[in-house]
Amino acid sequence: MASHTLLMSTGARLRDRRVRLERRATASKAVRGSLVSLAGLVGGPVTNQAGEEVGRLVDVVARLYGAESYPPVTGLILRIGRRRTFLAADAVGKVHAGHVRLRAARVDLRDFSRRPGEALLARDVLDHQLVDVDGVQVTRAADLYLAPLVGRVVLVGVDVSLPTLLRRLGPRRWQARPTPERVLDWQAVAPFAEEATEGPPEVRLRASRTALHRLRPADLADILEDLGRAERQQLLGWLEPEQAADALEEMEPAELEALLREAQPEHAARLVDEMEPDEAADALRDLTPEERESLLTRMPDDRSAELRRLLAHREGTAGGAMTTLLITVHRDATVAEVRARLAEQAEHRTEIDAVAVVDDEGRLLCDMALFDLAVAEDAAPVADLVAWRAQFGPPVTVRADTPLSEAADQLVAARASSLLVVDDTDRPLGRILADDLLDALLPERGRVHFRRFLQ
């Protein structure tokens, strides 16, 4: 049944992906046949209806961060003698390979000022970093392709191939020649136009999420590690704090350290505040005491106090690697009540694999696996499950000062995916997770998040 459901969900995802691909503009033969190379246009002539040269094209202005799937061209930057001026898109008649023809003999030329969401394609996007969302990689725009679509000229694709870079070094007749077999559809791209005006927040967020919301945290982490400093900060600004924090938790420690140092302290503090407690403490440990204190003082008092308690534990011990995110219940609760508590913590599902049952004094009675709760009746009292679990012996726990190597041995012996960390009176302090043990003990292997991977 489970395998059948998995196959159905996989098939649905493949169908959705096929539909998305079919709906993309570059899937149309008509569009692919009318592609115009931006690299071939720049420096080319702009002529009026009479065929007279008005000027030379310097750049193409497009509304990069707007509500449209394909950014519309909103104007041209021309060089006329020594002067640079702006020509609105409604004056453009046709965009050919290598030159632009205008609608009329006389044109209205103006000074250029950016409007919300606009970018200069040659200056801000061409040869700059961007994210290929389908390929989940950072790359560079070797060329951009324009095409007529629904009565206007729009940006439909980007070429990232090395041969295209070589083409641009050749004769001008080669530069204007597009290579449609190497085009990435613009809907599969997240660009970074650092100088572009971004417009209203809701427009900017929509423009970035259309491509990026499909990526897993681990994919976003890989992308953040490959981006330059400016692009990395721009991407972080696009993401919701929770999504950004999930990605930061998957980054290599050295890359995360660099990212936090280059960010504005207020932004860095907000990102760390959104991370899981153990991941946040690990990130803060890699900073200098001054940098760490700067971020902690910018966080809410309760969060700052929680992280200070974690940082008080030595690195390399169970206390130094544990998370303080715990679900604790009393034995007189019902299974339904425990499930309701778990539902409230759904956003932390990768950090919770068991529930700690405690007595009236807060001392540990049982560490109840989620599977045991899943197969129990809703009305069953937790006390019955505690009694049933007692036949397998007391729960396996470690103290906060237990070395990680010893904790790992106990974890393997218990065949568990986590261990509770308790104080000298058996009151739960936190939980150390299997993937955090692997991260700490095998740093040269990178961050191993097998529970997240399986999920």
Side-chain angles (χ1 to χ4, degrees):
M1 184 65 158
S3 61
H4 179 63
T5 302
L6 177 61
L7 288 173
M8 289 181 62
S9 62
T10 302
R13 287 197 297 271
L14 292 174
R15 286 194 298 274
D16 289 343
R17 174 175 168 76
R18 185 173 64 250
V19 169
R20 285 201 308 271
L21 293 175
E22 290 172 351
R23 288 177 178 172
R24 291 177 177 175
T26 50
S28 164
K29 290 183 179 180
V31 171
R32 293 174 75 87
S34 60
L35 296 177
V36 176
S37 161
L38 175 72
L41 282 177
V42 173
V46 178
T47 61
N48 60 23
Q49 197 177 44
E52 300 167 337
E53 184 174 311
V54 175
R56 291 274 167 171
L57 184 72
V58 174
D59 214 326
V60 174
V61 184
R63 189 164 54 247
L64 198 65
Y65 300 121
E68 302 90 348
S69 299
Y70 296 97
V73 171
T74 56
L76 309 174
I77 305 293
L78 306 184
R79 185 177 68 247
I80 303 175
R82 294 185 176 181
R83 180 189 173 199
R84 291 192 177 194
T85 190
F86 175 74
L87 179 67
D90 55 13
V92 177
K94 191 168 184 181
V95 179
H96 299 271
H99 79 279
V100 177
R101 189 177 68 198
L102 305 180
R103 293 183 185 277
R106 296 180 62 85
V107 294
D108 178 22
L109 300 174
R110 331 169 184 170
D111 291 332
F112 172 64
S113 61
R114 291 177 189 259
R115 291 167 292 186
E118 286 186 336
L120 276 67
L121 296 184
R123 194 185 82 172
D124 297 337
V125 183
L126 190 63
D127 295 324
H128 285 64
Q129 285 186 316
L130 51 82
V131 175
D132 170 9
V133 178
D134 283 350
V136 192
Q137 62 181 334
V138 176
T139 185
R140 287 186 181 272
D143 201 355
L144 301 174
Y145 293 137
L146 308 174
L149 192 67
V150 196
R152 56 184 177 177
V153 178
V154 300
L155 175 59
V156 294
V158 57
D159 192 328
V160 297
S161 64
L162 178 61
T164 296
L165 284 174
L166 299 177
R167 163 171 64 82
R168 289 170 53 191
L169 299 175
R172 181 158 185 82
R173 66 179 182 276
W174 292 0
Q175 295 176 13
R177 186 180 305 161
T179 50
E181 67 276 3
R182 301 189 184 102
V183 65
L184 296 178
D185 191 276
W186 190 256
Q187 289 194 52
V189 167
F192 302 97
E194 186 180 354
E195 302 299 325
T197 53
E198 294 179 325
E202 66 273 11
V203 171
R204 180 176 73 250
L205 288 173
R206 182 201 179 281
S208 60
R209 285 182 187 166
T210 51
L212 294 171
H213 79 280
R214 301 192 302 271
L215 296 181
R216 299 176 305 160
D219 296 333
L220 281 171
D222 290 340
I223 288 168
L224 285 167
E225 290 172 359
D226 291 339
L227 286 172
R229 176 174 179 173
E231 291 84 1
R232 181 151 59 182
Q233 293 303 318
Q234 188 174 358
L235 174 55
L236 284 174
W238 281 346
L239 302 174
E240 291 286 354
E242 297 85 355
Q243 187 183 16
D246 287 344
L248 264 55
E249 291 172 7
E250 302 289 343
M251 290 182 68
E252 293 291 337
E255 295 287 348
L256 176 56
E257 178 185 348
L259 184 149
L260 293 177
R261 283 198 169 115
E262 69 194 23
Q264 292 295 321
E266 291 77 10
H267 190 205
R270 188 161 58 250
L271 291 172
V272 175
D273 184 26
E274 291 291 341
M275 295 172 69
E276 297 294 349
D278 56 330
E279 301 284 358
D282 285 344
L284 290 171
R285 276 196 181 90
D286 292 331
L287 302 178
T288 66
E290 294 77 14
E291 292 167 335
R292 189 183 310 134
E293 190 61 28
S294 174
L295 299 190
L296 287 169
T297 56
R298 287 175 165 84
M299 296 181 196
D301 291 344
D302 56 344
R303 176 64 164 176
S304 176
E306 177 187 21
L307 292 178
R308 290 181 193 277
R309 286 194 297 270
L310 281 175
L311 290 167
H313 297 288
R314 287 187 298 109
E315 194 170 7
T317 65
M322 71 180 179
T323 177
T324 55
L325 181 64
L326 291 174
I327 300 290
T328 58
V329 299
H330 288 86
R331 58 186 300 158
D332 56 355
T334 66
V335 169
E337 291 171 340
V338 178
R339 286 175 179 162
R341 289 277 308 280
L342 289 168
E344 293 172 357
Q345 299 294 329
E347 62 182 301
H348 301 294
R349 59 189 179 277
T350 60
E351 304 295 314
I352 300 171
D353 64 349
V355 171
V357 184
V358 296
D359 63 17
D360 293 339
E361 303 298 325
R363 291 185 293 265
L364 182 67
L365 295 174
C366 177
D367 195 17
M368 189 70 61
L370 295 189
F371 180 82
D372 295 336
L373 291 165
V375 299
E377 296 291 338
D378 283 349
V382 170
D384 288 354
L385 297 183
V386 172
W388 174 77
R389 287 288 304 177
Q391 65 180 308
F392 302 107
V396 180
T397 61
V398 293
R399 297 290 191 262
D401 58 356
T402 301
L404 284 179
S405 57
E406 183 179 330
D409 290 340
Q410 294 197 44
L411 184 76
V412 172
R415 296 188 176 184
S417 59
S418 71
L419 290 176
L420 276 174
V421 182
V422 297
D423 64 14
D424 293 337
T425 61
D426 279 341
R427 289 178 172 84
L429 297 174
R431 185 178 295 278
I432 183 167
L433 304 163
D435 62 340
D436 293 325
L437 275 172
L438 289 175
D439 290 341
L441 296 174
L442 303 174
E444 71 281 359
R445 297 280 299 275
R447 301 184 69 75
V448 186
H449 292 276
F450 61 86
R451 286 182 298 104
R452 296 181 179 90
F453 173 77
L454 289 174
Q455 186 172 359

